[in-house]
Amino acid sequence: MTGAAAAAAAATARDDLRAHLLKHRLAGPDVPTPRQNNLRHYRLFAQGDAKALMGLAPEPRRDQDAVLRLMAERVGVHPDPRYTEGPDTIDPERTLAALDRLAALLRRTADRRGSVLAGTGHPTRLAGFHGALVRALEAAGCSVHTPALGARFREPTPDGDRPRYLDVVDRVLVVRAPGGLQGPGRPGPDDLAHTHSPLPVRLALTALADAGHRPPDLVLGDHGWLCGAGLLGIPAGGIADCNDVAPFAAEADGLVEVVVPLEDGSAPSCYRALSDYVLQRADLAPYNR
């Protein structure tokens, strides 16, 4: 393929993905997370709420106006603090640019045959996205770590501490909640759990160190997986929604390499086009020449 043909193909792929983002409301002027939800989370981050911080302890702390400015810059949400209710925006151009940066990060990791760890706080939504990237890196010669399987911890929730443990889905670390009882003496299924906590990545990294491994060259993920890795100086990249301030604050502060602004609660099939695009841009399997 000539240089001109390759550039035309890349532009077409980018246009197709932009249309996909808008069609599925993964980005655009009317994403599913409303403005009032965003502002509530911005306020919680400014107040130092532990769930909103996702392991960060930023100093100096940003007030709510500064948080809104940060999210307008990084995500493209409506910048006017007087706009308090209705739909909000994720700028698809910012999403596409961040996906390009994520592809470059994957390419650098593949070129050095680096080690990789992936984890998600959205196991029912994003495990497939992260899994596709991890499998491609593994095919390129990278080593993939899935440490601390079965490790148990207690996660603070609004209803008190709840037991959790680490598991793996599609080469991606996830959190499960031990099942309850379905009837007399009958244990219920263990459920995949949504989490913002940095504890899972800390457990995983501690288990790696205890097994004699050095830290991974790349952590892929979201929520506390990104922030927890970034705080320890480990290169990290992944996804965050327009109400998740902490990863974007970590990126702005130089702790996390790439954060892709993206609606994170859509059907898992919606994210296939994004992982395809990233792998094509990174020239990784199954798209490598």
Side-chain angles (χ1 to χ4, degrees), residues 87-109:
D88 215 336
T89 301
I90 295 176
D91 178 8
E93 292 302 319
R94 287 173 170 85
T95 302
L96 291 165
L99 288 170
D100 289 343
R101 295 197 304 274
L102 182 61
L105 178 59
L106 264 62
R107 184 68 258 168
R108 293 196 299 272
T109 305

Side-chain angles (χ1 to χ4, degrees), residues 5 7 28 35 37 62 69-70 91 134 138-139 150 153 168 174 187 210 214 226 240 246 259-260 271 281:
R35 177 67 165 192
N37 181 287
R62 294 173 173 88
R69 289 194 297 272
L70 170 77
D91 178 8
V134 166
E138 191 169 34
F153 65 101
V168 65
V174 298
D210 290 345
R214 61 181 178 82
L226 284 178
V259 184
V260 180
Y271 301 101
R281 294 287 290 173

Side-chain angles (χ1 to χ4, degrees), residues 135-237:
R135 290 194 305 273
L137 287 169
E138 191 169 34
C142 295
S143 57
V144 176
H145 296 298
T146 55
L149 299 184
R152 293 182 175 266
F153 65 101
R154 297 189 69 84
E155 181 175 12
T157 77
D159 300 317
D161 289 357
R162 292 290 183 265
R164 301 285 189 260
Y165 69 94
L166 286 184
D167 199 0
V168 65
V169 172
D170 197 18
R171 309 291 277 155
V172 177
L173 291 170
V174 298
V175 171
R176 288 190 185 271
L181 293 177
Q182 293 186 326
R186 295 173 55 202
D190 291 359
D191 294 325
L192 292 167
H194 172 263
T195 181
H196 286 195
S197 175
L199 291 175
V201 74
R202 292 174 186 167
L203 283 172
L205 293 172
T206 298
L208 271 183
D210 290 345
H213 294 285
R214 61 181 178 82
D217 296 300
L218 175 64
V219 170
L220 293 170
D222 45 62
H223 291 175
W225 292 92
L226 284 178
C227 296
L231 278 173
L232 296 174
I234 299 170

Side-chain angles (χ1 to χ4, degrees), residues 242-280:
C242 56
N243 61 359
D244 291 330
V245 179
F248 294 106
E251 182 187 40
D253 293 341
L255 300 175
V256 170
E257 296 224 5
V258 181
V259 184
V260 180
L262 191 71
E263 164 59 38
D264 63 11
S266 296
S269 60
C270 292
Y271 301 101
R272 173 63 185 272
L274 280 73
S275 57
D276 286 349
Y277 176 86
V278 169
L279 295 178
Q280 286 178 314

